[in-house]
Amino acid sequence: MSDLHDIDKKLIWHPFTSLVSEIEPILIQSAEGIYLTTDDGRKIIDAVSSWWVNIHGHSNPFIADAIAAQAKKLEHVIFAGFTHEPAITLAKNLISILPSNQAKIFFSDNGSTAVEVGLKMAYQFWYNQGIEKKKIVAIDGSYHGDTVGAMSVGERSPFTNAFSPLLFDVEFIDFPSADKEDYVVEQFKDIARQKNVGVFIFEPLVQGAAGMRMYSPAVLDRLIQIAQETNIICVADEVFTGFGRTGKLFASHYLKNKPDIIAVSKGITGGTMALGVTSCSDKIVKAFESSDVLKTFFHGHSYTANPIACAAANASFDLLMRDDCQQNIRHISSQHDNFKQKIKSHKTVKEVRNIGTIIAIELASQAGTSYFNDIRKKIYPFFLERNILLRPLGNVIYILPPYVIKEKELDAVYRCVEMFLESL
Ligand code: PMP
């Protein structure tokens, strides 16, 4: 097996990883349910759902069968001028659970592309009507992906420094934390009054990469209402929050006011295949329904609506809608609630935040929430040595397990977190 490590080191460039990193990647041979199995037989609990994608556990046999059957029937076909049943069924499935104003589905490959598509749709919505509304507004601390457009609407940070000159101008409003809601609403009102604002993009209720920062549905409803009153298109990035993560099928279901465009990915295939989807309302569609060919949405990827990915997503959808899955989500949520009560007053804890299947424990560290916070170097190995995969965001430890995790298994993760807090 060390051969594999050598070849990996020589040939592969891993994401978010220094090329002179001393740490060898862990070789995973197989995975089942919540467990990753290494080449030397260790079983590691995947308490972060492999970058938040896995919802039904690893190597889920129901999804695996759907993938295998589809691969033998139709693996791929160009999606311009052609269509297929898995994509049609998926569109129907998604429209049945997305907010009721969503009318059409556009396919891409991942979260960043789903966001890019959303931004381009919103931007061209105004262009097609000959209206000058070119300013985009986003929320401070946001993360929307790593492609240039998605980076532009995200927080400027050491991650984006090298590309600063390439990123387009975006106006950021402050993060609407509980103590700042009225201020941010006024701030947004001021910006929205400028006639050139066309798009408002946000991660509804939870900013994942910023350290699982959470804000209220009530303030987001107020912001969307202002956007609607001032004719600004709202793009909800539900790449992370979609498919049950926040306790409801989509975070947008906590809202009274519905976004015009929604980007999803991650949990869509249960974490098995790369797929992105951007949905939009009839209002958006109408701006593109034109005999003028120049009003077409000229965007597409080679693997658009890949049938195997769509089949995986349909199988994942069937599992998600089952009572046992919805019950698991509720159970994890209430277990998180109880754990929060237990540890929130611990001397090393600054704050515990939770919604649905997500819980985040912010440590009372001097260095703040930066990704480069040194405490991160302590947290990650502490848990791995105990066979739990937790990938902290700076001084924020978060747990967001696949929904199939059992009560005892989640308790074991909590116990390990308590041990860590005691060790500080
Ligand atoms: N939007 C949000 C809210 C995300 O959390 C992420 C990924 N963490 C993305 C977009 C980008 O998704 P991907 O990594 O699939 O490109």
Side-chain angles (χ1 to χ4, degrees):
M1 282 302 168
S2 69
D3 272 7
L4 288 180
H5 273 300
D6 292 344
I7 301 168
D8 180 288
K9 192 170 174 52
K10 188 161 179 247
L11 299 182
I12 298 180
W13 198 330
H14 287 266
F16 291 107
T17 307
S18 162
L19 283 181
V20 292
S21 168
E22 301 287 308
I23 304 164
E24 240 182 33
I26 298 168
L27 189 59
I28 296 300
Q29 223 161 42
S30 63
E32 195 182 348
I34 64 160
Y35 294 100
L36 308 169
T37 305
T38 64
D39 58 324
D40 53 3
R42 266 171 77 197
K43 281 190 182 307
I44 300 173
I45 294 182
D46 185 355
V48 295
S49 298
S50 279
W51 252 339
W52 322 344
V53 300
N54 191 294
I55 57 177
H56 304 300
H58 289 275
S59 307
N60 182 287
F62 184 71
I63 303 178
D65 285 349
I67 289 174
Q70 189 56 47
K72 288 182 195 157
K73 196 170 166 191
L74 169 68
E75 87 303 348
H76 190 59
V77 61
I78 176 174
F79 207 60
F82 291 82
T83 193
H84 49 78
E85 181 276 329
I88 296 166
T89 302
L90 181 54
K92 222 171 86 196
N93 284 340
L94 292 174
I95 290 294
S96 76
I97 58 169
L98 281 162
S100 56
N101 66 337
Q102 298 299 292
K104 250 195 200 324
I105 296 295
F106 192 97
F107 293 99
S108 63
D109 305 327
N110 56 68
S112 304
T113 56
V115 167
E116 293 277 346
V117 166
L119 286 174
K120 285 175 73 175
M121 261 180 194
Y123 203 77
Q124 194 179 336
F125 171 86
W126 296 115
Y127 174 88
N128 278 4
Q129 299 171 82
I131 299 170
E132 281 272 327
K133 267 173 148 329
K134 293 188 171 159
K135 185 174 274 185
I136 299 176
V137 179
I139 299 181
D140 201 51
S142 56
Y143 175 81
H144 295 289
D146 287 341
T147 50
V148 174
M151 261 197 300
S152 296
V153 290
E155 164 96 350
R156 308 300 156 91
S157 72
F159 289 74
T160 62
N161 278 351
F163 315 103
S164 295
L166 295 179
L167 306 183
F168 53 75
D169 269 349
V170 167
E171 190 131 354
F172 289 93
I173 54 171
D174 287 10
F175 181 78
S177 48
D179 57 331
K180 245 181 149 175
E181 290 187 352
D182 290 339
Y183 172 79
V184 177
V185 167
E186 288 309 312
Q187 194 186 24
F188 188 54
K189 262 188 203 159
D190 281 346
I191 296 170
R193 272 193 211 110
Q194 304 161 23
K195 293 218 163 27
N196 59 345
V197 182
V199 185
F200 172 43
I201 181 164
F202 50 85
E203 293 157 89
L205 310 191
V206 191
Q207 284 189 335
M212 303 294 155
R213 290 206 296 183
M214 299 179 190
Y215 62 107
S216 77
V219 72
L220 184 53
D221 258 328
R222 289 167 73 191
L223 296 173
I224 297 176
Q225 188 174 339
I226 295 164
Q228 287 171 347
E229 285 164 4
T230 48
N231 235 345
I232 296 170
I233 297 299
C234 290
V235 181
D237 175 353
E238 292 239 25
V239 167
F240 165 48
T241 49
F243 304 99
R245 264 298 156 213
T246 65
K248 296 197 186 229
L249 287 170
F250 294 97
S252 297
H253 289 313
Y254 286 93
L255 303 171
K256 289 193 200 74
N257 299 322
K258 302 301 179 195
D260 304 287
I261 293 174
I262 300 178
V264 298
S265 183
K266 292 205 188 268
I268 189 169
T269 61
T272 57
M273 302 277 303
L275 184 67
V277 160
T278 311
S279 66
C280 68
S281 66
D282 261 334
K283 175 177 166 180
I284 304 295
V285 173
K286 283 202 169 64
F288 290 83
E289 281 175 341
S290 166
S291 53
D292 179 354
V293 70
L294 295 177
K295 292 189 176 170
T296 305
F297 188 52
F298 289 116
H299 187 108
H301 299 278
S302 320
Y303 282 98
T304 296
N306 173 258
I308 304 173
C310 290
N314 285 324
S316 178
F317 173 88
D318 290 345
L319 293 176
L320 180 68
M321 300 312 284
R322 275 174 26 181
D323 283 348
D324 55 340
C325 182
Q326 292 302 313
Q327 236 166 354
N328 288 346
I329 291 173
R330 283 193 294 274
H331 196 72
I332 294 169
S333 307
S334 71
Q335 254 187 290
H336 279 349
D337 278 341
N338 294 338
F339 185 55
K340 176 183 178 170
Q341 295 314 319
K342 190 164 178 206
I343 58 159
K344 69 178 186 195
S345 312
H346 194 281
K347 61 182 188 305
T348 59
V349 170
K350 183 173 172 208
E351 188 183 58
V352 184
R353 307 182 274 273
N354 70 314
I355 182 170
T357 66
I358 309 164
I359 187 164
I361 301 120
E362 184 168 338
L363 303 175
S365 135
Q366 301 296 317
T369 53
S370 157
Y371 183 85
F372 300 107
N373 191 326
D374 260 2
I375 195 149
R376 182 178 192 282
K377 295 192 191 115
K378 215 169 146 182
I379 301 173
Y380 187 64
F382 180 94
F383 289 99
L384 261 187
E385 279 158 21
R386 289 156 183 84
N387 292 329
I388 295 172
L389 168 54
L390 284 176
R391 230 184 115 85
L393 294 155
N395 65 339
V396 177
I397 302 174
Y398 66 88
I399 307 167
L400 51 101
Y403 306 155
V404 291
I405 195 165
K406 296 199 177 68
E407 186 174 324
K408 273 201 324 223
E409 294 165 332
L410 190 48
D411 279 340
V413 177
Y414 293 152
R415 270 202 307 278
C416 209
V417 170
E418 285 176 283
M419 265 170 67
F420 179 76
L421 297 179
E422 287 303 317
S423 78
L424 289 175

